Amino acid sequence: MPWGETELLVELPSEALVDLLDPSEPDLSSLHRDPVLEREPSVVLVDVTFASPSSVGELIGRLPSGTTYAVSWADLESPHSGAELRRAVEEKGAIPVGDVSELRALGERLAGKGEVLLVVPEVSSVLHALDDRSLAEVFFRTLGVPHEALKVQVQRYLLDARGMFLGFSEHRPAVQRPERRYDLVICSPGGFPFDRTFVGSLMVALSASDLAGDGRVLGLVCGCGEGFGSSTALERMVVGSRDGTGDAYSLLAKRFRDERSRVRLFTNAPLPRAIVQDLLGIRQVPKVDDMVHAATRFVGREVRVAVMRRGALGFQQV
């Protein structure tokens, strides 16, 4: 299982029924090196939540010239994560949005702009798995801008297993989710940069949590080399936010609250127990094998397991 910059081994019982859910290989011939646009935008908003800092320059460099703002939902108002990402954004002349006040200020600047290009990664997360229209509504609701007041084009881009920019996609790939439910779902977002923060890793794991049966185990394998990430998202999850704004963070908090009451959440994230276990209510274990043991205690060694080694890049049954 990818974990940060390395990999961890997982030992499963020989009686276990295992489905390996790895992402399909992207069709590179269908990708475009430049955005496919219907109209020339006056403002570009690019979501760099899961992009590798070393590839952000190429991504931004291929966007239409003009004013470009960059947002990472995993890093908003975090003093400990996203610094390298912000530097990469600034080097290309784009404007990083680092806290809620800057987010609101961006919303005010967008008022009356008309044509906006929203550029987002084609990844599996609670937010990015939404269809283009719903994603745009959530995005601009977070900015405090009425979606109807803008003409928005949504452009998706693909990343490889290292978080490097591959190209822009004109059509979203079809995803076939397994119909069965599992006793244990072990999900790694895919190592760095996908698991560099706990918030980003949770965004990925919770997009696949429906694969775990009621009362079963969802195990999140993440290195979290840059810590928790967004303090805004973390606070919403800790306090159990029930606001009805429908913005990006209330969406994440609601999904987290619903799934925490339905499945048993485990993680091997090397982060302070006082927050992960005591405040968030996620069982913290030192080894991935402990997640396996937790599942077998309830259903025996003939446990049905789904293994997702690169959850952020989607999956198909192998």
Side-chain angles (χ1 to χ4, degrees):
M1 299 289 291
W3 188 76
E5 301 276 9
T6 185
E7 293 181 336
L8 301 177
L9 295 178
V10 183
E11 184 176 351
L12 296 169
S14 57
E15 301 93 335
L17 305 174
V18 183
D19 285 341
L20 186 61
L21 305 182
D22 275 355
S24 57
E25 291 297 323
D27 179 9
L28 298 182
S29 65
S30 67
L31 299 181
H32 302 269
R33 299 304 294 171
D34 297 300
V36 181
L37 304 177
E38 298 176 0
R39 304 174 300 275
E40 193 69 19
S42 54
V43 176
V44 178
L45 305 180
V46 57
D47 181 338
V48 294
T49 303
F50 294 104
S52 170
S54 59
S55 75
V56 165
E58 182 182 3
L59 168 62
I60 293 177
R62 293 189 173 277
L63 299 176
S65 59
T67 306
T68 300
Y69 296 92
V71 176
S72 170
W73 298 112
D75 300 293
L76 207 66
E77 292 199 311
S78 169
H80 307 296
S81 69
E84 186 180 359
L85 200 59
R86 284 191 288 274
R87 282 195 297 270
V89 167
E90 289 172 336
E91 286 175 0
K92 294 301 294 185
I95 304 169
V97 180
D99 57 41
V100 169
S101 63
E102 291 178 358
L103 206 63
R104 295 196 186 105
L106 172 57
E108 293 173 2
R109 294 189 201 107
L110 287 177
K113 286 293 184 182
E115 297 285 352
V116 177
L117 174 62
L118 179 58
V119 182
V120 295
E122 182 61 72
V123 292
S124 292
S125 86
V126 171
L127 176 62
H128 302 94
L130 296 172
D131 62 80
D132 288 353
R133 180 180 177 83
S134 299
L135 176 57
E137 289 177 353
V138 169
F139 202 108
F140 290 104
R141 198 173 288 133
T142 310
L143 298 179
V145 178
H147 179 243
E148 301 77 13
L150 300 169
K151 294 180 181 178
V152 181
Q153 300 177 75
V154 177
Q155 176 71 74
R156 303 261 182 171
Y157 64 91
L158 265 64
L159 300 169
D160 68 10
R162 297 172 298 136
M164 302 298 287
F165 170 72
L166 288 176
F168 297 98
S169 58
E170 195 168 358
H171 304 288
R172 299 194 67 188
V175 177
Q176 291 186 338
R177 301 177 72 88
E179 294 183 1
R180 66 171 60 96
R181 293 296 174 263
Y182 296 89
D183 302 309
L184 169 63
V185 176
I186 307 176
C187 176
S188 165
F192 182 86
F194 303 102
D195 74 342
R196 62 185 180 81
T197 70
F198 192 63
V199 167
S201 299
L202 266 178
M203 289 173 68
V204 171
L206 290 173
S207 72
S209 60
D210 61 305
L211 296 177
D214 292 351
R216 301 314 192 201
V217 174
L218 171 65
L220 172 57
V221 179
C222 52
C224 303
E226 296 185 26
F228 284 102
S230 170
S231 60
T232 303
L234 194 64
E235 181 182 359
R236 293 280 191 95
M237 289 188 289
V238 167
V239 301
S241 173
R242 293 179 179 274
D243 69 62
T245 59
D247 67 12
Y249 293 116
S250 62
L251 183 73
L252 174 61
K254 182 181 186 306
R255 179 74 175 189
F256 173 70
R257 184 180 66 248
D258 291 347
E259 292 303 87
R260 185 179 58 184
S261 64
R262 191 185 69 82
V263 300
R264 292 181 293 144
L265 298 174
F266 284 71
T267 186
N268 71 336
L271 295 170
R273 178 189 180 99
I275 297 178
V276 175
Q277 188 155 309
D278 298 344
L279 291 181
L280 289 173
I282 301 174
R283 178 73 180 274
Q284 208 165 4
V285 293
K287 299 185 298 183
V288 182
D289 290 348
D290 294 326
M291 303 176 189
V292 180
H293 297 155
T296 56
R297 279 200 302 269
F298 284 87
V299 298
R301 292 176 62 84
E302 292 185 0
V303 61
R304 182 169 286 281
V305 184
V307 177
M308 303 176 66
R309 297 183 293 188
R310 301 197 178 277
L313 298 180
F315 56 86
Q316 62 176 354
Q317 191 166 335
V318 179

mmCIF file with all atom_site columns, all heavy atoms in Angstrom, residues 38-44 110 112-117 149-153:
data_model
loop_
_atom_site.group_PDB
_atom_site.id
_atom_site.type_symbol
_atom_site.label_atom_id
_atom_site.label_alt_id
_atom_site.label_comp_id
_atom_site.label_asym_id
_atom_site.label_entity_id
_atom_site.label_seq_id
_atom_site.pdbx_PDB_ins_code
_atom_site.Cartn_x
_atom_site.Cartn_y
_atom_site.Cartn_z
_atom_site.occupancy
_atom_site.B_iso_or_equiv
_atom_site.pdbx_formal_charge
_atom_site.auth_seq_id
_atom_site.auth_comp_id
_atom_site.auth_asym_id
_atom_site.auth_atom_id
_atom_site.pdbx_PDB_model_num
ATOM 1   N N   . GLU A 1 38  ? -15.130 26.742 -24.788 1.00 0.00 ? 38  GLU A N   1
ATOM 2   C CA  . GLU A 1 38  ? -16.178 27.270 -25.654 1.00 0.00 ? 38  GLU A CA  1
ATOM 3   C C   . GLU A 1 38  ? -16.075 28.785 -25.763 1.00 0.00 ? 38  GLU A C   1
ATOM 4   O O   . GLU A 1 38  ? -16.366 29.358 -26.805 1.00 0.00 ? 38  GLU A O   1
ATOM 5   C CB  . GLU A 1 38  ? -17.557 26.894 -25.087 1.00 0.00 ? 38  GLU A CB  1
ATOM 6   C CG  . GLU A 1 38  ? -17.813 25.397 -25.025 1.00 0.00 ? 38  GLU A CG  1
ATOM 7   C CD  . GLU A 1 38  ? -19.146 25.088 -24.374 1.00 0.00 ? 38  GLU A CD  1
ATOM 8   O OE1 . GLU A 1 38  ? -19.852 26.054 -23.972 1.00 0.00 ? 38  GLU A OE1 1
ATOM 9   O OE2 . GLU A 1 38  ? -19.495 23.897 -24.257 1.00 0.00 ? 38  GLU A OE2 1
ATOM 10  N N   . ARG A 1 39  ? -15.639 29.420 -24.656 1.00 0.00 ? 39  ARG A N   1
ATOM 11  C CA  . ARG A 1 39  ? -15.535 30.877 -24.611 1.00 0.00 ? 39  ARG A CA  1
ATOM 12  C C   . ARG A 1 39  ? -14.253 31.258 -23.879 1.00 0.00 ? 39  ARG A C   1
ATOM 13  O O   . ARG A 1 39  ? -13.764 30.507 -23.033 1.00 0.00 ? 39  ARG A O   1
ATOM 14  C CB  . ARG A 1 39  ? -16.746 31.471 -23.874 1.00 0.00 ? 39  ARG A CB  1
ATOM 15  C CG  . ARG A 1 39  ? -18.092 31.076 -24.451 1.00 0.00 ? 39  ARG A CG  1
ATOM 16  C CD  . ARG A 1 39  ? -19.243 31.586 -23.589 1.00 0.00 ? 39  ARG A CD  1
ATOM 17  N NE  . ARG A 1 39  ? -19.203 31.066 -22.234 1.00 0.00 ? 39  ARG A NE  1
ATOM 18  C CZ  . ARG A 1 39  ? -19.709 29.901 -21.855 1.00 0.00 ? 39  ARG A CZ  1
ATOM 19  N NH1 . ARG A 1 39  ? -20.281 29.112 -22.756 1.00 0.00 ? 39  ARG A NH1 1
ATOM 20  N NH2 . ARG A 1 39  ? -19.646 29.509 -20.598 1.00 0.00 ? 39  ARG A NH2 1
ATOM 21  N N   . GLU A 1 40  ? -13.736 32.412 -24.184 1.00 0.00 ? 40  GLU A N   1
ATOM 22  C CA  . GLU A 1 40  ? -12.533 32.904 -23.503 1.00 0.00 ? 40  GLU A CA  1
ATOM 23  C C   . GLU A 1 40  ? -12.926 33.467 -22.141 1.00 0.00 ? 40  GLU A C   1
ATOM 24  O O   . GLU A 1 40  ? -13.740 34.381 -22.053 1.00 0.00 ? 40  GLU A O   1
ATOM 25  C CB  . GLU A 1 40  ? -11.856 33.983 -24.353 1.00 0.00 ? 40  GLU A CB  1
ATOM 26  C CG  . GLU A 1 40  ? -10.450 34.341 -23.887 1.00 0.00 ? 40  GLU A CG  1
ATOM 27  C CD  . GLU A 1 40  ? -9.449  33.221 -24.111 1.00 0.00 ? 40  GLU A CD  1
ATOM 28  O OE1 . GLU A 1 40  ? -9.727  32.320 -24.928 1.00 0.00 ? 40  GLU A OE1 1
ATOM 29  O OE2 . GLU A 1 40  ? -8.391  33.261 -23.460 1.00 0.00 ? 40  GLU A OE2 1
ATOM 30  N N   . PRO A 1 41  ? -12.357 32.944 -21.040 1.00 0.00 ? 41  PRO A N   1
ATOM 31  C CA  . PRO A 1 41  ? -12.751 33.422 -19.703 1.00 0.00 ? 41  PRO A CA  1
ATOM 32  C C   . PRO A 1 41  ? -12.017 34.701 -19.321 1.00 0.00 ? 41  PRO A C   1
ATOM 33  O O   . PRO A 1 41  ? -10.932 34.995 -19.821 1.00 0.00 ? 41  PRO A O   1
ATOM 34  C CB  . PRO A 1 41  ? -12.310 32.266 -18.798 1.00 0.00 ? 41  PRO A CB  1
ATOM 35  C CG  . PRO A 1 41  ? -11.112 31.693 -19.498 1.00 0.00 ? 41  PRO A CG  1
ATOM 36  C CD  . PRO A 1 41  ? -11.400 31.827 -20.979 1.00 0.00 ? 41  PRO A CD  1
ATOM 37  N N   . SER A 1 42  ? -12.630 35.443 -18.408 1.00 0.00 ? 42  SER A N   1
ATOM 38  C CA  . SER A 1 42  ? -11.972 36.623 -17.871 1.00 0.00 ? 42  SER A CA  1
ATOM 39  C C   . SER A 1 42  ? -11.193 36.290 -16.601 1.00 0.00 ? 42  SER A C   1
ATOM 40  O O   . SER A 1 42  ? -10.248 36.993 -16.243 1.00 0.00 ? 42  SER A O   1
ATOM 41  C CB  . SER A 1 42  ? -13.004 37.723 -17.581 1.00 0.00 ? 42  SER A CB  1
ATOM 42  O OG  . SER A 1 42  ? -14.038 37.228 -16.739 1.00 0.00 ? 42  SER A OG  1
ATOM 43  N N   . VAL A 1 43  ? -11.600 35.216 -15.920 1.00 0.00 ? 43  VAL A N   1
ATOM 44  C CA  . VAL A 1 43  ? -10.932 34.770 -14.699 1.00 0.00 ? 43  VAL A CA  1
ATOM 45  C C   . VAL A 1 43  ? -10.836 33.245 -14.723 1.00 0.00 ? 43  VAL A C   1
ATOM 46  O O   . VAL A 1 43  ? -11.763 32.567 -15.175 1.00 0.00 ? 43  VAL A O   1
ATOM 47  C CB  . VAL A 1 43  ? -11.706 35.209 -13.434 1.00 0.00 ? 43  VAL A CB  1
ATOM 48  C CG1 . VAL A 1 43  ? -11.039 34.651 -12.176 1.00 0.00 ? 43  VAL A CG1 1
ATOM 49  C CG2 . VAL A 1 43  ? -11.774 36.716 -13.338 1.00 0.00 ? 43  VAL A CG2 1
ATOM 50  N N   . VAL A 1 44  ? -9.694  32.720 -14.230 1.00 0.00 ? 44  VAL A N   1
ATOM 51  C CA  . VAL A 1 44  ? -9.508  31.277 -14.125 1.00 0.00 ? 44  VAL A CA  1
ATOM 52  C C   . VAL A 1 44  ? -9.331  30.904 -12.657 1.00 0.00 ? 44  VAL A C   1
ATOM 53  O O   . VAL A 1 44  ? -8.534  31.516 -11.938 1.00 0.00 ? 44  VAL A O   1
ATOM 54  C CB  . VAL A 1 44  ? -8.266  30.811 -14.922 1.00 0.00 ? 44  VAL A CB  1
ATOM 55  C CG1 . VAL A 1 44  ? -8.068  29.302 -14.756 1.00 0.00 ? 44  VAL A CG1 1
ATOM 56  C CG2 . VAL A 1 44  ? -8.399  31.178 -16.390 1.00 0.00 ? 44  VAL A CG2 1
ATOM 57  N N   . LEU A 1 110 ? -15.066 38.254 -8.004  1.00 0.00 ? 110 LEU A N   1
ATOM 58  C CA  . LEU A 1 110 ? -15.727 37.549 -9.106  1.00 0.00 ? 110 LEU A CA  1
ATOM 59  C C   . LEU A 1 110 ? -17.083 38.149 -9.466  1.00 0.00 ? 110 LEU A C   1
ATOM 60  O O   . LEU A 1 110 ? -17.577 37.920 -10.574 1.00 0.00 ? 110 LEU A O   1
ATOM 61  C CB  . LEU A 1 110 ? -15.915 36.068 -8.743  1.00 0.00 ? 110 LEU A CB  1
ATOM 62  C CG  . LEU A 1 110 ? -14.662 35.199 -8.738  1.00 0.00 ? 110 LEU A CG  1
ATOM 63  C CD1 . LEU A 1 110 ? -15.000 33.794 -8.294  1.00 0.00 ? 110 LEU A CD1 1
ATOM 64  C CD2 . LEU A 1 110 ? -14.022 35.172 -10.120 1.00 0.00 ? 110 LEU A CD2 1
ATOM 65  N N   . GLY A 1 112 ? -19.800 39.949 -10.984 1.00 0.00 ? 112 GLY A N   1
ATOM 66  C CA  . GLY A 1 112 ? -19.893 40.716 -12.214 1.00 0.00 ? 112 GLY A CA  1
ATOM 67  C C   . GLY A 1 112 ? -18.836 40.401 -13.255 1.00 0.00 ? 112 GLY A C   1
ATOM 68  O O   . GLY A 1 112 ? -18.774 41.056 -14.296 1.00 0.00 ? 112 GLY A O   1
ATOM 69  N N   . LYS A 1 113 ? -17.987 39.393 -12.999 1.00 0.00 ? 113 LYS A N   1
ATOM 70  C CA  . LYS A 1 113 ? -16.936 39.053 -13.960 1.00 0.00 ? 113 LYS A CA  1
ATOM 71  C C   . LYS A 1 113 ? -17.484 38.348 -15.199 1.00 0.00 ? 113 LYS A C   1
ATOM 72  O O   . LYS A 1 113 ? -16.903 38.398 -16.262 1.00 0.00 ? 113 LYS A O   1
ATOM 73  C CB  . LYS A 1 113 ? -15.882 38.165 -13.299 1.00 0.00 ? 113 LYS A CB  1
ATOM 74  C CG  . LYS A 1 113 ? -14.969 38.902 -12.324 1.00 0.00 ? 113 LYS A CG  1
ATOM 75  C CD  . LYS A 1 113 ? -14.097 39.898 -13.051 1.00 0.00 ? 113 LYS A CD  1
ATOM 76  C CE  . LYS A 1 113 ? -13.110 40.568 -12.097 1.00 0.00 ? 113 LYS A CE  1
ATOM 77  N NZ  . LYS A 1 113 ? -12.275 41.579 -12.768 1.00 0.00 ? 113 LYS A NZ  1
ATOM 78  N N   . GLY A 1 114 ? -18.594 37.646 -15.035 1.00 0.00 ? 114 GLY A N   1
ATOM 79  C CA  . GLY A 1 114 ? -19.205 36.982 -16.194 1.00 0.00 ? 114 GLY A CA  1
ATOM 80  C C   . GLY A 1 114 ? -18.587 35.635 -16.510 1.00 0.00 ? 114 GLY A C   1
ATOM 81  O O   . GLY A 1 114 ? -18.995 34.620 -15.955 1.00 0.00 ? 114 GLY A O   1
ATOM 82  N N   . GLU A 1 115 ? -17.593 35.605 -17.374 1.00 0.00 ? 115 GLU A N   1
ATOM 83  C CA  . GLU A 1 115 ? -17.004 34.353 -17.840 1.00 0.00 ? 115 GLU A CA  1
ATOM 84  C C   . GLU A 1 115 ? -15.922 33.865 -16.871 1.00 0.00 ? 115 GLU A C   1
ATOM 85  O O   . GLU A 1 115 ? -14.919 34.542 -16.647 1.00 0.00 ? 115 GLU A O   1
ATOM 86  C CB  . GLU A 1 115 ? -16.382 34.539 -19.230 1.00 0.00 ? 115 GLU A CB  1
ATOM 87  C CG  . GLU A 1 115 ? -17.384 34.906 -20.306 1.00 0.00 ? 115 GLU A CG  1
ATOM 88  C CD  . GLU A 1 115 ? -18.231 33.708 -20.730 1.00 0.00 ? 115 GLU A CD  1
ATOM 89  O OE1 . GLU A 1 115 ? -17.928 32.579 -20.298 1.00 0.00 ? 115 GLU A OE1 1
ATOM 90  O OE2 . GLU A 1 115 ? -19.195 33.913 -21.480 1.00 0.00 ? 115 GLU A OE2 1
ATOM 91  N N   . VAL A 1 116 ? -16.129 32.669 -16.298 1.00 0.00 ? 116 VAL A N   1
ATOM 92  C CA  . VAL A 1 116 ? -15.174 32.083 -15.366 1.00 0.00 ? 116 VAL A CA  1
ATOM 93  C C   . VAL A 1 116 ? -14.850 30.664 -15.813 1.00 0.00 ? 116 VAL A C   1
ATOM 94  O O   . VAL A 1 116 ? -15.752 29.892 -16.166 1.00 0.00 ? 116 VAL A O   1
ATOM 95  C CB  . VAL A 1 116 ? -15.727 32.060 -13.929 1.00 0.00 ? 116 VAL A CB  1
ATOM 96  C CG1 . VAL A 1 116 ? -14.746 31.384 -12.984 1.00 0.00 ? 116 VAL A CG1 1
ATOM 97  C CG2 . VAL A 1 116 ? -16.017 33.476 -13.447 1.00 0.00 ? 116 VAL A CG2 1
ATOM 98  N N   . LEU A 1 117 ? -13.569 30.324 -15.812 1.00 0.00 ? 117 LEU A N   1
ATOM 99  C CA  . LEU A 1 117 ? -13.135 28.956 -16.104 1.00 0.00 ? 117 LEU A CA  1
ATOM 100 C C   . LEU A 1 117 ? -12.734 28.298 -14.796 1.00 0.00 ? 117 LEU A C   1
ATOM 101 O O   . LEU A 1 117 ? -11.853 28.795 -14.085 1.00 0.00 ? 117 LEU A O   1
ATOM 102 C CB  . LEU A 1 117 ? -11.953 28.956 -17.074 1.00 0.00 ? 117 LEU A CB  1
ATOM 103 C CG  . LEU A 1 117 ? -11.310 27.587 -17.348 1.00 0.00 ? 117 LEU A CG  1
ATOM 104 C CD1 . LEU A 1 117 ? -12.315 26.625 -17.991 1.00 0.00 ? 117 LEU A CD1 1
ATOM 105 C CD2 . LEU A 1 117 ? -10.064 27.748 -18.222 1.00 0.00 ? 117 LEU A CD2 1
ATOM 106 N N   . ALA A 1 149 ? -25.087 33.808 -11.234 1.00 0.00 ? 149 ALA A N   1
ATOM 107 C CA  . ALA A 1 149 ? -24.624 35.123 -11.680 1.00 0.00 ? 149 ALA A CA  1
ATOM 108 C C   . ALA A 1 149 ? -23.400 35.039 -12.587 1.00 0.00 ? 149 ALA A C   1
ATOM 109 O O   . ALA A 1 149 ? -22.950 36.052 -13.111 1.00 0.00 ? 149 ALA A O   1
ATOM 110 C CB  . ALA A 1 149 ? -24.292 35.990 -10.467 1.00 0.00 ? 149 ALA A CB  1
ATOM 111 N N   . LEU A 1 150 ? -22.865 33.828 -12.763 1.00 0.00 ? 150 LEU A N   1
ATOM 112 C CA  . LEU A 1 150 ? -21.654 33.660 -13.552 1.00 0.00 ? 150 LEU A CA  1
ATOM 113 C C   . LEU A 1 150 ? -21.884 32.697 -14.715 1.00 0.00 ? 150 LEU A C   1
ATOM 114 O O   . LEU A 1 150 ? -22.743 31.818 -14.645 1.00 0.00 ? 150 LEU A O   1
ATOM 115 C CB  . LEU A 1 150 ? -20.527 33.106 -12.674 1.00 0.00 ? 150 LEU A CB  1
ATOM 116 C CG  . LEU A 1 150 ? -20.110 33.942 -11.464 1.00 0.00 ? 150 LEU A CG  1
ATOM 117 C CD1 . LEU A 1 150 ? -19.185 33.119 -10.579 1.00 0.00 ? 150 LEU A CD1 1
ATOM 118 C CD2 . LEU A 1 150 ? -19.434 35.220 -11.896 1.00 0.00 ? 150 LEU A CD2 1
ATOM 119 N N   . LYS A 1 151 ? -21.120 32.869 -15.753 1.00 0.00 ? 151 LYS A N   1
ATOM 120 C CA  . LYS A 1 151 ? -21.074 31.894 -16.842 1.00 0.00 ? 151 LYS A CA  1
ATOM 121 C C   . LYS A 1 151 ? -19.827 31.044 -16.621 1.00 0.00 ? 151 LYS A C   1
ATOM 122 O O   . LYS A 1 151 ? -18.708 31.539 -16.754 1.00 0.00 ? 151 LYS A O   1
ATOM 123 C CB  . LYS A 1 151 ? -21.019 32.603 -18.196 1.00 0.00 ? 151 LYS A CB  1
ATOM 124 C CG  . LYS A 1 151 ? -22.274 33.393 -18.531 1.00 0.00 ? 151 LYS A CG  1
ATOM 125 C CD  . LYS A 1 151 ? -22.154 34.070 -19.890 1.00 0.00 ? 151 LYS A CD  1
ATOM 126 C CE  . LYS A 1 151 ? -23.410 34.868 -20.209 1.00 0.00 ? 151 LYS A CE  1
ATOM 127 N NZ  . LYS A 1 151 ? -23.292 35.571 -21.527 1.00 0.00 ? 151 LYS A NZ  1
ATOM 128 N N   . VAL A 1 152 ? -20.034 29.788 -16.239 1.00 0.00 ? 152 VAL A N   1
ATOM 129 C CA  . VAL A 1 152 ? -18.929 28.947 -15.790 1.00 0.00 ? 152 VAL A CA  1
ATOM 130 C C   . VAL A 1 152 ? -18.679 27.814 -16.766 1.00 0.00 ? 152 VAL A C   1
ATOM 131 O O   . VAL A 1 152 ? -19.606 27.100 -17.169 1.00 0.00 ? 152 VAL A O   1
ATOM 132 C CB  . VAL A 1 152 ? -19.214 28.369 -14.385 1.00 0.00 ? 152 VAL A CB  1
ATOM 133 C CG1 . VAL A 1 152 ? -18.044 27.518 -13.911 1.00 0.00 ? 152 VAL A CG1 1
ATOM 134 C CG2 . VAL A 1 152 ? -19.503 29.485 -13.396 1.00 0.00 ? 152 VAL A CG2 1
ATOM 135 N N   . GLN A 1 153 ? -17.432 27.663 -17.135 1.00 0.00 ? 153 GLN A N   1
ATOM 136 C CA  . GLN A 1 153 ? -16.980 26.483 -17.860 1.00 0.00 ? 153 GLN A CA  1
ATOM 137 C C   . GLN A 1 153 ? -16.154 25.642 -16.888 1.00 0.00 ? 153 GLN A C   1
ATOM 138 O O   . GLN A 1 153 ? -15.318 26.179 -16.161 1.00 0.00 ? 153 GLN A O   1
ATOM 139 C CB  . GLN A 1 153 ? -16.103 26.849 -19.052 1.00 0.00 ? 153 GLN A CB  1
ATOM 140 C CG  . GLN A 1 153 ? -16.762 27.720 -20.095 1.00 0.00 ? 153 GLN A CG  1
ATOM 141 C CD  . GLN A 1 153 ? -15.788 28.082 -21.199 1.00 0.00 ? 153 GLN A CD  1
ATOM 142 O OE1 . GLN A 1 153 ? -15.468 27.248 -22.054 1.00 0.00 ? 153 GLN A OE1 1
ATOM 143 N NE2 . GLN A 1 153 ? -15.312 29.320 -21.196 1.00 0.00 ? 153 GLN A NE2 1
#
